[in-house]
Amino acid sequence: MASHVRVSKKAALLALIAATGVSLAPIPAAADGRTAPQPALSTAGEQAVTAPGIPRLPGGLSALSWLVADAETGSVLAARSPHRKLAPASTLKTLFAVTVLPKFSAGAVRQVSSADLDGIGSGSSVVGIQQGRRYTVADLWRGVFLRSGNDAVHVLASMNGGWQTTAREMQQTARRLGAHDTTVKSPDGYDAPGQVSSAYDLTVFARAGLANDDFARYCATARATFPGAGGSTTIENTNRLLAGSHGMSRYPGIIGVKNGYTSKAGNTLIAAARRNGRTLLVTVLNPQSAVPNAVYKEAGALLDWGFGTAGSTQPVGTLHAVKAAYHGGPMRPVAAQATGAETRESSPWRPALVLGAGGAGLAVVALGALLARWRQPRPAGRRGDGG
């Protein structure tokens, strides 16, 4: 579907519909507030359809908020307090990536200045960016996705016009995606007064991100090399479901997305996995259980439940579909693929469509890809983001 012809938004959308062979009718609600023919999610309480033949939700779920969604259709399969406004920690980096990642080529180089590193919060997780050293944009994004490096976020935000400019653009992106629970104060997810998001919004961000092949590749990378003081070093993804570390096995079919921790947010996680042609998204915010790795275990249990429904359950709501926004230039692929050295060396999956290639799902993924054309275990006693 690649094309190098500059076309209007309308023409691009019509071409997309013709190519996919579907109408707009099955696509979930657009970000302008129109509703899809599914029930609205309530703001509180546990929501799931119970009926004979539908698996029961897993027991022992202690998270203040969680959500399970089908990434292809946008259907919300079950949720608890999905619009509850909570501190997001580093899961907010998904919105940062959706906003900033399309703006700079992976091979672009930045020589880091002292100003680039100003304002990094005390106790923040860092990947080890050094003043005066040159890094490619790809290096910086690996620092963001694998090590949750707030130092890498600061450098990319400086490239994007500064910290406040980036926060403002992230806020605008959230609204364009139909995410109305999110208030951005600190683009790296570090605790800041008034900064909140929700399981619903974070799932929307991850879904939009997975429609971008670069986002999908970075968030699926378990291990990679990174420039270090003595040459290069190996960094491992802090998402334990992906890396299979710290007492957790790698989740079957895992393809990302992002974890986080702050003292205010607790442990947070957005996880995506694909099995038997279905891609599910699960967001878990602030488990109250004292069980080790609770956020990963609860996310894994919810993914198991979602895959176990095998299409038997009825949705309790829908995610907003991203609005088409095409500003000319080549059309991007309609679905993200894992390609390149990161897949060969360290990704836990091989080239495959992330969100599926049929029916309404293809159209939704393609709309998510068009978004890219816009201008675009928890560390004890630490306040900063450890994930």
Side-chain angles (χ1 to χ4, degrees):
M1 285 195 58
S3 169
H4 296 281
V5 179
R6 295 179 66 87
V7 294
S8 67
K9 294 180 184 179
K10 182 177 180 180
L13 183 57
L14 291 175
L16 166 63
I17 296 167
T20 57
V22 297
S23 71
L24 287 177
I27 299 176
D32 58 9
R34 292 191 299 269
T35 56
Q38 292 181 0
L41 282 167
S42 64
T43 58
E46 198 167 276
Q47 303 163 63
V49 174
T50 57
I54 298 177
R56 295 177 61 87
L57 286 170
L61 298 175
S62 68
L64 296 181
S65 176
W66 53 260
L67 183 144
V68 184
D70 186 303
E72 181 176 352
T73 66
S75 295
V76 177
L77 307 181
R80 172 185 290 166
S81 304
H83 291 289
R84 182 171 178 176
K85 296 180 179 181
L86 296 166
S90 273
T91 53
L92 194 65
K93 289 182 171 78
T94 54
L95 177 59
F96 173 74
V98 168
T99 303
V100 177
L101 194 154
K103 295 188 178 186
F104 306 104
S105 65
V109 175
R110 176 75 167 190
Q111 183 167 357
V112 175
S113 69
S114 59
D116 290 344
L117 300 175
D118 283 348
I120 297 175
S122 174
S124 286
S125 56
V126 295
V127 69
I129 302 293
Q130 298 175 2
Q131 179 183 337
R133 185 154 188 168
R134 294 163 64 87
Y135 298 87
T136 66
V137 165
D139 289 332
L140 296 172
W141 283 115
R142 282 187 283 269
V144 170
F145 277 94
L146 275 71
R147 295 300 303 167
S148 205
N150 289 0
D151 49 355
V153 173
H154 273 257
V155 175
L156 287 162
S158 292
M159 294 173 64
N160 189 55
W163 200 243
Q164 295 306 318
T165 295
T166 300
R168 182 169 60 252
E169 290 183 359
M170 288 170 64
Q171 191 72 69
Q172 293 167 351
T173 300
R175 295 300 179 263
R176 285 170 178 163
L177 290 171
H180 296 285
D181 303 326
T182 299
T183 299
V184 180
K185 298 293 185 180
S186 183
D188 54 7
Y190 191 83
D191 286 340
Q195 178 155 277
V196 292
S197 191
S198 67
Y200 180 95
D201 284 11
L202 292 167
T203 309
V204 168
F205 304 151
R207 188 184 183 211
L210 287 173
N212 178 294
D213 52 355
D214 292 324
F215 181 110
R217 183 171 59 253
Y218 288 130
C219 84
T221 302
R223 294 167 188 85
T225 58
F226 188 83
S232 63
T233 187
T234 299
I235 57 174
E236 182 177 83
N237 203 306
T238 56
N239 180 349
R240 298 175 185 181
L241 286 186
L242 178 65
S245 63
H246 296 81
M248 293 298 302
S249 298
R250 192 173 71 196
Y251 187 84
I254 188 73
I255 52 175
V257 177
K258 191 71 192 74
N259 60 312
Y261 170 78
T262 66
S263 56
K264 182 177 181 181
N267 284 294
T268 60
L269 176 67
I270 312 167
R274 184 165 178 81
R275 291 190 200 168
N276 301 320
R278 295 178 70 206
T279 301
L280 297 183
L281 285 163
V282 167
T283 298
V284 176
L285 300 180
N286 203 349
Q288 301 299 289
S289 167
V291 173
N293 290 317
V295 73
Y296 300 103
K297 291 176 179 178
E298 293 186 23
L302 287 167
L303 283 168
D304 287 344
W305 173 85
F307 286 119
T309 63
S312 63
T313 191
Q314 296 297 312
V316 296
T318 187
L319 302 174
H320 287 299
V322 293
K323 295 178 78 172
Y326 184 71
H327 289 278
M331 296 276 286
R332 295 185 62 81
V334 296
Q337 298 187 21
T339 57
E342 287 156 334
T343 298
R344 293 191 298 271
E345 295 175 1
S346 56
S347 174
W349 58 308
R350 290 296 179 262
L353 293 178
V354 174
L355 302 184
L362 182 59
V364 170
V365 172
L367 291 178
L370 291 178
L371 174 67
R373 309 309 306 169
W374 271 331
R375 184 186 179 277
Q376 334 283 306
R378 103 197 221 173
R382 291 178 62 180
R383 179 185 180 278
D385 196 321

